[in-house]
């Protein structure tokens, strides 16, 4: 896999492409399929590093998972009470979704387990899941009183809680709901913003007794009946499509279609944001796939204007904000992104890293406590930039490289495969000039 990408600008992006399956949905299909009764078939599974961390953890818990092809899995569900004590520490690699959802699943099991991952994962905050799980009675220990992994879970019986989430996080919500499936009583979760709802949708489709009330409150309890297995084709990941949407909107002369992308309302903040800035994006051929709405997204090059973003829209595009910052460098006027302090606890501190790297390319960008202030339009110039080991940053810098004068070299670019295997090839097929080293 390429460790360095060299991006040459000056080519329009034209044609039709697809993006790999949605990362959040792929993780959930494997985890929930594992505790269903029967065989779950997953097509268009994201064969990236993060989702394979989940596959390996489920295998270590005694679940048989067959790989029919690179993107098709069959998960032989063991039922709600069928997971087995793992022989070794569970390695979540670099995947925050894996460690946070698995901690919720394992907290109420009748056996002990230990979850860990890369040094990046061991720096990310776990207190946000450990706190509610401890309220449920979970016996979890970890470094710094459970704020950091490795997390060690002792067997116990869980009690349901009513939990008001302090941050809008789908990983926290999913963790508590998963623990709730194994707890006595009715678990109630209230969220402060519309965090992605794939967990609720999927578990409800499997027959779990979960109810969504008024959008912000979710009830769940221990199922009386086994969960039904899934037969699912995972929609294309809108977070991956976002790089292409941004590149299409910015690169002169572009006209591209991204087929079968998930357009769940809790995920389309980036499409709305680009449209608010003046980007021409259309939804075509809307349909549904695996209980999730999908469409083909069509984007053409557009003149953009600076805009202010904040509030509830932020959680619906949290992973896309570094890319939005790249876009904002080309918009006329000032763009302000606020209420996005969560960016500081992603794979890396995405506020600091974005400011550092985009400045190398000439961007007029300032980091704030909870976001960015960007003035545009600013011509970017090619530079040597670093992904900081963060897949989304490597791809955001690629978008910047496509419109910068001269060539841009991205170090530590192999991480694109965490969530978007084939990223470089997809762009090349649309006309981009990208070298790999
Ligand atoms: C995810 C939720 C988000 C997102 C991450 C995937 C998920 O994290 O950033 O890439 O699959 O639940 P938070 O829940 O921490 O916001």
């Amino acid at each position: 896999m390429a460790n360095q990408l060299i991006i040459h600008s000056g080519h329009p992006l034209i044609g039709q492409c697809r993006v790999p399956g949605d990362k959040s949905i792929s993780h959930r299909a494997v985890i929930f399929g594992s505790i269903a009764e029967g065989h779950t078939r997953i097509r268009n599974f994201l064969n990236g590093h993060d989702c394979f961390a989940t596959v390996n953890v489920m295998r270590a818990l005694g679940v048989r998972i067959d790989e029919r092809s690179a993107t098709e899995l069959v998960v032989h569900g063991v039922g709600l009470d069928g997971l087995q004590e793992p022989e070794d520490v569970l390695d979540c690699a670099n995947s925050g979704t894996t460690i946070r959802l698995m901690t919720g699943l394992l907290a109420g099991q009748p056996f002990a387990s230990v979850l860990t991952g890369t040094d990046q994962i061991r720096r990310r905050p776990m207190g946000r899941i450990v706190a509610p799980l401890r309220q449920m009675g979970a016996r979890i220990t970890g470094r710094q009183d459970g704020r950091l992994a490795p997390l060690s879970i002792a067997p116990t019986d869980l009690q349901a809680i009513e939990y008001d989430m302090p941050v809008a996080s789908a990983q926290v919500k999913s963790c508590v709901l998963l623990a709730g499936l194994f707890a006595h009583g009715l678990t109630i979760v209230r969220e402060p913003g519309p965090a992605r709802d794939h967990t609720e949708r999927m578990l409800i489709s499997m027959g779990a007794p979960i109810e969504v009330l008024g959008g912000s409150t979710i009830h769940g309890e221990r199922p009386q009946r086994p969960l039904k297995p899934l037969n699912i084709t995972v929609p294309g990941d809108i977070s991956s499509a976002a790089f292409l949407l941004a590149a299409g909107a910015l690169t002169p002369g572009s006209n591209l279609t991204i087929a079968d992308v998930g357009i769940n309302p809790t995920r389309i903040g980036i499409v709305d944001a680009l449209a608010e800035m003046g980007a021409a994006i259309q939804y075509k051929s809307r349909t549904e796939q695996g209980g999730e709405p999908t469409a083909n997204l069509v984007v053409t090059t557009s003149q953009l204007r600076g805009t202010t973003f904040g509030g509830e829209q932020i959680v619906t595009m949290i992973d896309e904000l570094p890319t939005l910052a790249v876009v904002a460098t080309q918009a006329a006027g000032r763009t302000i992104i606020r209420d996005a302090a969560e960016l500081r606890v992603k794979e890396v501190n995405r506020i600091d890293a974005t400011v550092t790297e985009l400045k190398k390319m000439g961007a007029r960008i300032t980091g704030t406590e909870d976001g960015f202030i960007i003035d545009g339009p600013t011509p970017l110039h090619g530079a040597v930039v670093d992904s900081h080991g963060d897949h989304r940053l490597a791809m955001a810098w690629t978008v910047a490289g496509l419109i910068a004068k001269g060539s841009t070299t991205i170090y530590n670019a192999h991480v694109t495969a965490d969530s978007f295997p084939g990223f470089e090839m997809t762009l090349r097929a649309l006309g981009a000039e990208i070298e790999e080293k």
Side-chain angles (χ1 to χ4, degrees):
M1 219 163 307
N3 205 33
Q4 259 182 55
L5 290 181
I6 304 167
I7 321 291
H8 302 283
S9 57
H11 305 278
L13 301 175
I14 295 172
Q16 174 148 346
C17 66
R18 311 178 65 82
V19 289
D22 187 275
K23 180 154 87 72
S24 296
I25 297 174
S26 295
H27 280 296
R28 286 159 173 79
V30 171
I31 298 172
F32 306 165
S34 294
I35 55 168
E37 220 146 86
H39 308 316
T40 279
R41 164 162 287 173
I42 311 169
R43 293 183 194 78
N44 202 34
F45 178 75
L46 171 60
N47 62 342
H49 297 149
D50 281 16
C51 291
F52 267 98
T54 292
V55 168
N56 289 334
V57 168
M58 293 316 315
R59 282 177 172 154
L61 292 163
V63 180
R64 192 178 129 204
I65 301 177
D66 300 333
E67 290 165 48
R68 293 278 162 93
S69 75
T71 57
E72 186 174 335
L73 300 183
V74 176
V75 181
H76 301 268
V78 295
L80 285 159
D81 299 314
L83 296 177
Q84 285 165 23
E85 182 171 70
E87 282 178 18
D88 201 349
V89 166
L90 299 167
D91 182 4
C92 302
N94 207 24
S95 172
T97 305
T98 307
I99 195 164
R100 296 209 178 101
L101 268 60
M102 288 312 303
T103 305
L105 176 63
L106 292 171
Q109 299 296 326
F111 53 77
S113 52
V114 179
L115 292 149
T116 192
T118 59
D119 52 346
Q120 230 178 54
I121 272 295
R122 283 182 276 107
R123 281 196 293 268
R124 295 183 66 182
M126 295 299 146
R128 54 181 56 197
I129 54 164
V130 169
L133 292 175
R134 280 182 178 162
Q135 283 179 34
M136 297 175 88
R139 293 162 58 209
I140 304 181
T141 48
R143 288 185 302 134
Q144 294 189 15
D145 191 27
R147 283 194 288 276
L148 295 175
L151 297 175
S152 171
I153 304 169
T156 194
D157 258 358
L158 299 180
Q159 298 299 325
I161 52 164
E162 213 168 296
Y163 191 59
D164 283 296
M165 287 172 22
V167 282
S169 157
Q171 292 176 356
V172 175
K173 170 170 67 172
S174 304
C175 169
V176 176
L177 288 173
L178 273 169
L181 293 181
F182 295 88
H184 301 287
L186 183 67
T187 297
I188 301 177
V189 180
R190 279 185 216 96
E191 52 180 348
R196 62 195 70 191
D197 65 357
H198 308 300
T199 292
E200 301 90 296
R201 282 177 188 250
M202 199 180 283
L203 283 174
I204 290 169
S205 81
M206 298 171 81
I210 288 180
E211 217 184 339
V212 180
L213 305 174
S216 66
T217 307
I218 304 127
H219 285 186
E221 56 192 334
R222 201 183 178 101
Q224 298 303 311
R225 282 190 295 272
L227 297 180
K228 290 183 288 212
L230 295 160
N231 186 355
I232 180 181
T233 301
V234 178
D237 196 328
I238 191 160
S239 295
S240 297
F243 303 109
L244 304 174
L245 290 176
L250 295 180
T251 314
S254 295
N255 184 339
L256 66 97
T257 301
I258 315 161
D260 298 329
V261 182
I263 53 164
N264 179 313
T266 60
R267 297 287 298 281
I268 55 170
I270 186 64
V271 180
D272 296 342
L274 292 172
E276 281 170 61
M277 297 176 90
I281 302 178
Q282 286 173 285
Y283 294 107
K284 291 209 169 141
S285 313
R286 285 174 190 260
T287 176
E288 232 191 71
Q289 212 163 286
E292 297 273 349
T294 63
N296 293 349
L297 299 182
V298 183
V299 61
T300 48
T301 315
S302 317
Q303 293 299 313
L304 304 176
R305 53 186 172 271
T307 308
T308 294
F309 301 104
E312 290 206 340
Q313 188 176 1
I314 291 296
V315 68
T316 66
M317 56 174 175
I318 190 74
D319 291 335
E320 289 68 70
L321 293 176
T323 310
L324 190 62
V326 172
V327 172
T329 65
Q330 303 309 301
R334 176 162 279 194
T335 294
I336 302 174
I337 299 172
R338 57 166 79 107
D339 303 324
E342 275 293 294
L343 289 179
R344 295 193 177 278
V345 292
K346 292 296 176 187
E347 277 77 340
V348 300
N349 181 333
R350 286 182 175 162
I351 293 181
D352 290 354
T354 299
V355 172
T356 305
E357 301 305 319
L358 289 185
K359 273 192 168 158
K360 292 180 187 166
M361 300 181 76
R364 286 183 287 152
I365 179 168
T366 312
T368 61
E369 261 318 295
D370 64 350
F372 308 101
I373 299 171
I374 303 137
D375 288 303
T378 308
L380 299 183
H381 53 77
V384 176
V385 291
D386 199 300
S387 76
H388 296 238
D390 184 322
H391 52 129
R392 300 207 194 278
L393 298 188
M395 293 185 271
W397 309 160
T398 303
V399 175
L402 289 172
I403 47 154
K405 190 158 183 291
S407 59
T408 300
T409 301
I410 305 170
Y411 279 130
N412 290 314
H414 58 286
V415 286
T416 56
D418 286 359
S419 62
F420 195 160
F423 172 68
E424 302 83 1
M425 277 188 311
T426 304
L427 274 172
R428 264 199 224 111
L430 293 167
E433 193 186 339
I434 301 180
E435 283 175 72
E436 298 177 41
K437 265 200 192 159

